[in-house]
PDB file of all heavy atoms in Angstrom:
ATOM      1  N   SER A   1      18.120  12.679  13.724  1.00 52.00           N
ATOM      2  CA  SER A   1      16.698  12.920  13.961  1.00 52.00           C
ATOM      3  C   SER A   1      16.030  13.526  12.730  1.00 52.00           C
ATOM      4  O   SER A   1      14.902  13.167  12.374  1.00 52.00           O
ATOM      5  CB  SER A   1      16.521  13.835  15.166  1.00 52.00           C
ATOM      6  OG  SER A   1      15.164  14.117  15.388  1.00 52.00           O
ATOM      7  N   ASP A   2      16.740  14.446  12.055  1.00 49.00           N
ATOM      8  CA  ASP A   2      16.205  15.043  10.822  1.00 49.00           C
ATOM      9  C   ASP A   2      16.040  13.982   9.739  1.00 49.00           C
ATOM     10  O   ASP A   2      15.051  13.982   9.007  1.00 49.00           O
ATOM     11  CB  ASP A   2      17.142  16.145  10.321  1.00 49.00           C
ATOM     12  CG  ASP A   2      17.122  17.358  11.244  1.00 49.00           C
ATOM     13  OD1 ASP A   2      16.133  17.505  12.006  1.00 49.00           O
ATOM     14  OD2 ASP A   2      18.093  18.136  11.189  1.00 49.00           O
ATOM     15  N   TYR A   3      17.019  13.110   9.650  1.00 45.00           N
ATOM     16  CA  TYR A   3      16.944  12.039   8.652  1.00 45.00           C
ATOM     17  C   TYR A   3      15.762  11.118   8.920  1.00 45.00           C
ATOM     18  O   TYR A   3      15.060  10.692   8.006  1.00 45.00           O
ATOM     19  CB  TYR A   3      18.243  11.221   8.643  1.00 45.00           C
ATOM     20  CG  TYR A   3      19.435  11.957   8.097  1.00 45.00           C
ATOM     21  CD1 TYR A   3      20.710  11.724   8.609  1.00 45.00           C
ATOM     22  CD2 TYR A   3      19.283  12.912   7.088  1.00 45.00           C
ATOM     23  CE1 TYR A   3      21.813  12.400   8.127  1.00 45.00           C
ATOM     24  CE2 TYR A   3      20.384  13.593   6.593  1.00 45.00           C
ATOM     25  CZ  TYR A   3      21.649  13.336   7.120  1.00 45.00           C
ATOM     26  OH  TYR A   3      22.730  14.008   6.630  1.00 45.00           O
ATOM     27  N   VAL A   4      15.557  10.798  10.186  1.00 45.00           N
ATOM     28  CA  VAL A   4      14.440   9.927  10.567  1.00 45.00           C
ATOM     29  C   VAL A   4      13.116  10.576  10.214  1.00 45.00           C
ATOM     30  O   VAL A   4      12.216   9.947   9.645  1.00 45.00           O
ATOM     31  CB  VAL A   4      14.498   9.591  12.076  1.00 45.00           C
ATOM     32  CG1 VAL A   4      13.201   8.887  12.510  1.00 45.00           C
ATOM     33  CG2 VAL A   4      15.700   8.706  12.373  1.00 45.00           C
ATOM     34  N   ARG A   5      12.974  11.892  10.553  1.00 48.00           N
ATOM     35  CA  ARG A   5      11.733  12.599  10.242  1.00 48.00           C
ATOM     36  C   ARG A   5      11.504  12.668   8.731  1.00 48.00           C
ATOM     37  O   ARG A   5      10.379  12.500   8.248  1.00 48.00           O
ATOM     38  CB  ARG A   5      11.765  14.008  10.843  1.00 48.00           C
ATOM     39  CG  ARG A   5      11.531  14.047  12.345  1.00 48.00           C
ATOM     40  CD  ARG A   5      11.194  15.458  12.804  1.00 48.00           C
ATOM     41  NE  ARG A   5      12.318  16.364  12.607  1.00 48.00           N
ATOM     42  CZ  ARG A   5      13.252  16.602  13.511  1.00 48.00           C
ATOM     43  NH1 ARG A   5      13.205  15.984  14.685  1.00 48.00           N
ATOM     44  NH2 ARG A   5      14.241  17.441  13.257  1.00 48.00           N
ATOM     45  N   ALA A   6      12.576  12.909   7.976  1.00 45.00           N
ATOM     46  CA  ALA A   6      12.457  12.970   6.510  1.00 45.00           C
ATOM     47  C   ALA A   6      12.043  11.615   5.946  1.00 45.00           C
ATOM     48  O   ALA A   6      11.211  11.532   5.044  1.00 45.00           O
ATOM     49  CB  ALA A   6      13.785  13.415   5.895  1.00 45.00           C
ATOM     50  N   TYR A   7      12.618  10.565   6.504  1.00 43.00           N
ATOM     51  CA  TYR A   7      12.282   9.220   6.042  1.00 43.00           C
ATOM     52  C   TYR A   7      10.819   8.894   6.339  1.00 43.00           C
ATOM     53  O   TYR A   7      10.113   8.316   5.501  1.00 43.00           O
ATOM     54  CB  TYR A   7      13.195   8.194   6.717  1.00 43.00           C
ATOM     55  CG  TYR A   7      12.829   6.765   6.374  1.00 43.00           C
ATOM     56  CD1 TYR A   7      13.216   6.198   5.151  1.00 43.00           C
ATOM     57  CD2 TYR A   7      12.084   5.987   7.255  1.00 43.00           C
ATOM     58  CE1 TYR A   7      12.861   4.899   4.831  1.00 43.00           C
ATOM     59  CE2 TYR A   7      11.728   4.696   6.937  1.00 43.00           C
ATOM     60  CZ  TYR A   7      12.125   4.153   5.720  1.00 43.00           C
ATOM     61  OH  TYR A   7      11.775   2.867   5.407  1.00 43.00           O
ATOM     62  N   VAL A   8      10.385   9.274   7.535  1.00 43.00           N
ATOM     63  CA  VAL A   8       8.990   9.018   7.920  1.00 43.00           C
ATOM     64  C   VAL A   8       8.046   9.758   6.985  1.00 43.00           C
ATOM     65  O   VAL A   8       7.024   9.223   6.542  1.00 43.00           O
ATOM     66  CB  VAL A   8       8.742   9.424   9.389  1.00 43.00           C
ATOM     67  CG1 VAL A   8       7.253   9.385   9.703  1.00 43.00           C
ATOM     68  CG2 VAL A   8       9.510   8.497  10.328  1.00 43.00           C
ATOM     69  N   ARG A   9       8.393  11.038   6.686  1.00 44.00           N
ATOM     70  CA  ARG A   9       7.549  11.803   5.763  1.00 44.00           C
ATOM     71  C   ARG A   9       7.496  11.129   4.395  1.00 44.00           C
ATOM     72  O   ARG A   9       6.437  11.003   3.780  1.00 44.00           O
ATOM     73  CB  ARG A   9       8.098  13.231   5.611  1.00 44.00           C
ATOM     74  CG  ARG A   9       7.942  14.099   6.839  1.00 44.00           C
ATOM     75  CD  ARG A   9       8.161  15.560   6.489  1.00 44.00           C
ATOM     76  NE  ARG A   9       8.470  16.343   7.675  1.00 44.00           N
ATOM     77  CZ  ARG A   9       9.681  16.702   8.047  1.00 44.00           C
ATOM     78  NH1 ARG A   9      10.721  16.329   7.313  1.00 44.00           N
ATOM     79  NH2 ARG A   9       9.870  17.426   9.132  1.00 44.00           N
ATOM     80  N   PHE A  10       8.669  10.738   3.890  1.00 42.00           N
ATOM     81  CA  PHE A  10       8.738  10.096   2.578  1.00 42.00           C
ATOM     82  C   PHE A  10       7.935   8.796   2.559  1.00 42.00           C
ATOM     83  O   PHE A  10       7.183   8.515   1.615  1.00 42.00           O
ATOM     84  CB  PHE A  10      10.195   9.809   2.202  1.00 42.00           C
ATOM     85  CG  PHE A  10      10.347   9.028   0.924  1.00 42.00           C
ATOM     86  CD1 PHE A  10      10.231   9.655  -0.307  1.00 42.00           C
ATOM     87  CD2 PHE A  10      10.571   7.653   0.954  1.00 42.00           C
ATOM     88  CE1 PHE A  10      10.356   8.936  -1.485  1.00 42.00           C
ATOM     89  CE2 PHE A  10      10.695   6.930  -0.207  1.00 42.00           C
ATOM     90  CZ  PHE A  10      10.592   7.566  -1.434  1.00 42.00           C
ATOM     91  N   ASP A  11       8.097   8.004   3.627  1.00 46.00           N
ATOM     92  CA  ASP A  11       7.385   6.725   3.692  1.00 46.00           C
ATOM     93  C   ASP A  11       5.885   6.956   3.741  1.00 46.00           C
ATOM     94  O   ASP A  11       5.106   6.221   3.128  1.00 46.00           O
ATOM     95  CB  ASP A  11       7.852   5.951   4.932  1.00 46.00           C
ATOM     96  CG  ASP A  11       7.245   4.557   4.992  1.00 46.00           C
ATOM     97  OD1 ASP A  11       7.545   3.742   4.092  1.00 46.00           O
ATOM     98  OD2 ASP A  11       6.464   4.293   5.928  1.00 46.00           O
ATOM     99  N   THR A  12       5.465   7.985   4.491  1.00 44.00           N
ATOM    100  CA  THR A  12       4.028   8.293   4.579  1.00 44.00           C
ATOM    101  C   THR A  12       3.479   8.723   3.222  1.00 44.00           C
ATOM    102  O   THR A  12       2.406   8.269   2.794  1.00 44.00           O
ATOM    103  CB  THR A  12       3.796   9.415   5.610  1.00 44.00           C
ATOM    104  OG1 THR A  12       4.318   9.001   6.874  1.00 44.00           O
ATOM    105  CG2 THR A  12       2.300   9.714   5.737  1.00 44.00           C
ATOM    106  N   ILE A  13       4.225   9.622   2.554  1.00 37.00           N
ATOM    107  CA  ILE A  13       3.792  10.079   1.226  1.00 37.00           C
ATOM    108  C   ILE A  13       3.727   8.923   0.244  1.00 37.00           C
ATOM    109  O   ILE A  13       2.781   8.795  -0.537  1.00 37.00           O
ATOM    110  CB  ILE A  13       4.743  11.180   0.704  1.00 37.00           C
ATOM    111  CG1 ILE A  13       4.625  12.433   1.580  1.00 37.00           C
ATOM    112  CG2 ILE A  13       4.429  11.522  -0.762  1.00 37.00           C
ATOM    113  CD1 ILE A  13       5.667  13.491   1.261  1.00 37.00           C
ATOM    114  N   TYR A  14       4.728   8.054   0.269  1.00 39.00           N
ATOM    115  CA  TYR A  14       4.763   6.903  -0.641  1.00 39.00           C
ATOM    116  C   TYR A  14       3.584   5.968  -0.381  1.00 39.00           C
ATOM    117  O   TYR A  14       2.949   5.472  -1.313  1.00 39.00           O
ATOM    118  CB  TYR A  14       6.081   6.142  -0.466  1.00 39.00           C
ATOM    119  CG  TYR A  14       6.185   4.903  -1.325  1.00 39.00           C
ATOM    120  CD1 TYR A  14       6.480   4.997  -2.683  1.00 39.00           C
ATOM    121  CD2 TYR A  14       5.955   3.644  -0.773  1.00 39.00           C
ATOM    122  CE1 TYR A  14       6.561   3.866  -3.473  1.00 39.00           C
ATOM    123  CE2 TYR A  14       6.030   2.505  -1.550  1.00 39.00           C
ATOM    124  CZ  TYR A  14       6.341   2.617  -2.901  1.00 39.00           C
ATOM    125  OH  TYR A  14       6.406   1.496  -3.676  1.00 39.00           O
ATOM    126  N   THR A  15       3.292   5.750   0.924  1.00 45.00           N
ATOM    127  CA  THR A  15       2.168   4.876   1.278  1.00 45.00           C
ATOM    128  C   THR A  15       0.851   5.450   0.789  1.00 45.00           C
ATOM    129  O   THR A  15       0.004   4.737   0.230  1.00 45.00           O
ATOM    130  CB  THR A  15       2.122   4.676   2.803  1.00 45.00           C
ATOM    131  OG1 THR A  15       3.360   4.121   3.239  1.00 45.00           O
ATOM    132  CG2 THR A  15       0.974   3.744   3.184  1.00 45.00           C
ATOM    133  N   ILE A  16       0.671   6.771   1.000  1.00 38.00           N
ATOM    134  CA  ILE A  16      -0.560   7.431   0.544  1.00 38.00           C
ATOM    135  C   ILE A  16      -0.673   7.342  -0.976  1.00 38.00           C
ATOM    136  O   ILE A  16      -1.742   7.038  -1.522  1.00 38.00           O
ATOM    137  CB  ILE A  16      -0.592   8.904   1.001  1.00 38.00           C
ATOM    138  CG1 ILE A  16      -0.693   8.969   2.531  1.00 38.00           C
ATOM    139  CG2 ILE A  16      -1.749   9.655   0.344  1.00 38.00           C
ATOM    140  CD1 ILE A  16      -0.555  10.379   3.082  1.00 38.00           C
ATOM    141  N   HIS A  17       0.455   7.600  -1.668  1.00 39.00           N
ATOM    142  CA  HIS A  17       0.463   7.544  -3.137  1.00 39.00           C
ATOM    143  C   HIS A  17       0.109   6.149  -3.635  1.00 39.00           C
ATOM    144  O   HIS A  17      -0.691   5.988  -4.563  1.00 39.00           O
ATOM    145  CB  HIS A  17       1.842   7.962  -3.642  1.00 39.00           C
ATOM    146  CG  HIS A  17       1.981   7.871  -5.139  1.00 39.00           C
ATOM    147  ND1 HIS A  17       1.355   8.734  -6.005  1.00 39.00           N
ATOM    148  CD2 HIS A  17       2.671   6.993  -5.917  1.00 39.00           C
ATOM    149  CE1 HIS A  17       1.650   8.417  -7.243  1.00 39.00           C
ATOM    150  NE2 HIS A  17       2.451   7.360  -7.215  1.00 39.00           N
ATOM    151  N   THR A  18       0.701   5.128  -2.996  1.00 47.00           N
ATOM    152  CA  THR A  18       0.422   3.742  -3.387  1.00 47.00           C
ATOM    153  C   THR A  18      -1.035   3.392  -3.160  1.00 47.00           C
ATOM    154  O   THR A  18      -1.690   2.790  -4.011  1.00 47.00           O
ATOM    155  CB  THR A  18       1.321   2.773  -2.602  1.00 47.00           C
ATOM    156  OG1 THR A  18       2.690   3.101  -2.830  1.00 47.00           O
ATOM    157  CG2 THR A  18       1.062   1.335  -3.029  1.00 47.00           C
ATOM    158  N   ASN A  19      -1.569   3.784  -1.995  1.00 41.00           N
ATOM    159  CA  ASN A  19      -2.975   3.495  -1.689  1.00 41.00           C
ATOM    160  C   ASN A  19      -3.910   4.213  -2.652  1.00 41.00           C
ATOM    161  O   ASN A  19      -4.931   3.649  -3.070  1.00 41.00           O
ATOM    162  CB  ASN A  19      -3.302   3.904  -0.253  1.00 41.00           C
ATOM    163  CG  ASN A  19      -2.602   3.019   0.778  1.00 41.00           C
ATOM    164  OD1 ASN A  19      -2.253   1.876   0.469  1.00 41.00           O
ATOM    165  ND2 ASN A  19      -2.405   3.529   1.984  1.00 41.00           N
ATOM    166  N   MET A  20      -3.567   5.462  -3.003  1.00 37.00           N
ATOM    167  CA  MET A  20      -4.396   6.215  -3.948  1.00 37.00           C
ATOM    168  C   MET A  20      -4.392   5.537  -5.319  1.00 37.00           C
ATOM    169  O   MET A  20      -5.432   5.452  -5.989  1.00 37.00           O
ATOM    170  CB  MET A  20      -3.889   7.649  -4.065  1.00 37.00           C
ATOM    171  CG  MET A  20      -4.221   8.523  -2.864  1.00 37.00           C
ATOM    172  SD  MET A  20      -6.007   8.717  -2.616  1.00 37.00           S
ATOM    173  CE  MET A  20      -6.455   9.590  -4.115  1.00 37.00           C
ATOM    174  N   ASN A  21      -3.217   5.059  -5.741  1.00 43.00           N
ATOM    175  CA  ASN A  21      -3.138   4.359  -7.028  1.00 43.00           C
ATOM    176  C   ASN A  21      -3.997   3.106  -7.012  1.00 43.00           C
ATOM    177  O   ASN A  21      -4.691   2.796  -7.988  1.00 43.00           O
ATOM    178  CB  ASN A  21      -1.686   3.984  -7.347  1.00 43.00           C
ATOM    179  CG  ASN A  21      -0.894   5.173  -7.851  1.00 43.00           C
ATOM    180  OD1 ASN A  21      -1.469   6.152  -8.317  1.00 43.00           O
ATOM    181  ND2 ASN A  21       0.420   5.092  -7.760  1.00 43.00           N
ATOM    182  N   GLU A  22      -3.950   2.367  -5.901  1.00 45.00           N
ATOM    183  CA  GLU A  22      -4.759   1.153  -5.793  1.00 45.00           C
ATOM    184  C   GLU A  22      -6.243   1.487  -5.813  1.00 45.00           C
ATOM    185  O   GLU A  22      -7.035   0.802  -6.456  1.00 45.00           O
ATOM    186  CB  GLU A  22      -4.401   0.403  -4.509  1.00 45.00           C
ATOM    187  CG  GLU A  22      -2.997  -0.204  -4.525  1.00 45.00           C
ATOM    188  CD  GLU A  22      -2.655  -0.879  -3.212  1.00 45.00           C
ATOM    189  OE1 GLU A  22      -3.467  -0.760  -2.263  1.00 45.00           O
ATOM    190  OE2 GLU A  22      -1.585  -1.508  -3.139  1.00 45.00           O
ATOM    191  N   ILE A  23      -6.612   2.566  -5.100  1.00 36.00           N
ATOM    192  CA  ILE A  23      -8.024   2.971  -5.070  1.00 36.00           C
ATOM    193  C   ILE A  23      -8.484   3.408  -6.455  1.00 36.00           C
ATOM    194  O   ILE A  23      -9.572   3.034  -6.919  1.00 36.00           O
ATOM    195  CB  ILE A  23      -8.227   4.113  -4.049  1.00 36.00           C
ATOM    196  CG1 ILE A  23      -8.009   3.588  -2.630  1.00 36.00           C
ATOM    197  CG2 ILE A  23      -9.628   4.716  -4.182  1.00 36.00           C
ATOM    198  CD1 ILE A  23      -7.991   4.681  -1.583  1.00 36.00           C
ATOM    199  N   MET A  24      -7.642   4.219  -7.134  1.00 36.00           N
ATOM    200  CA  MET A  24      -7.997   4.696  -8.468  1.00 36.00           C
ATOM    201  C   MET A  24      -8.085   3.548  -9.458  1.00 36.00           C
ATOM    202  O   MET A  24      -8.987   3.515 -10.306  1.00 36.00           O
ATOM    203  CB  MET A  24      -6.976   5.736  -8.941  1.00 36.00           C
ATOM    204  CG  MET A  24      -7.040   7.052  -8.187  1.00 36.00           C
ATOM    205  SD  MET A  24      -5.796   8.237  -8.736  1.00 36.00           S
ATOM    206  CE  MET A  24      -6.382   8.560 -10.406  1.00 36.00           C
ATOM    207  N   SER A  25      -7.154   2.581  -9.347  1.00 42.00           N
ATOM    208  CA  SER A  25      -7.187   1.419 -10.239  1.00 42.00           C
ATOM    209  C   SER A  25      -8.446   0.612 -10.014  1.00 42.00           C
ATOM    210  O   SER A  25      -9.123   0.201 -10.960  1.00 42.00           O
ATOM    211  CB  SER A  25      -5.945   0.548 -10.018  1.00 42.00           C
ATOM    212  OG  SER A  25      -4.771   1.255 -10.313  1.00 42.00           O
TER     213      SER A  25
END
């Protein structure tokens, strides 16, 4: 369960980072 939550957090952060890069570009 901890691994799943960590993965979800990482995936969310990565998605936000990717979207921000696209918006900034």
Side-chain angles (χ1 to χ4, degrees):
S1 178
D2 290 339
Y3 290 146
V4 170
R5 284 196 295 269
Y7 175 79
V8 170
R9 290 195 200 99
F10 174 79
D11 185 64
T12 302
I13 294 172
Y14 178 78
T15 302
I16 294 173
H17 177 71
T18 302
N19 291 336
M20 286 298 296
N21 282 339
E22 291 177 354
I23 292 172
M24 290 178 67
S25 298

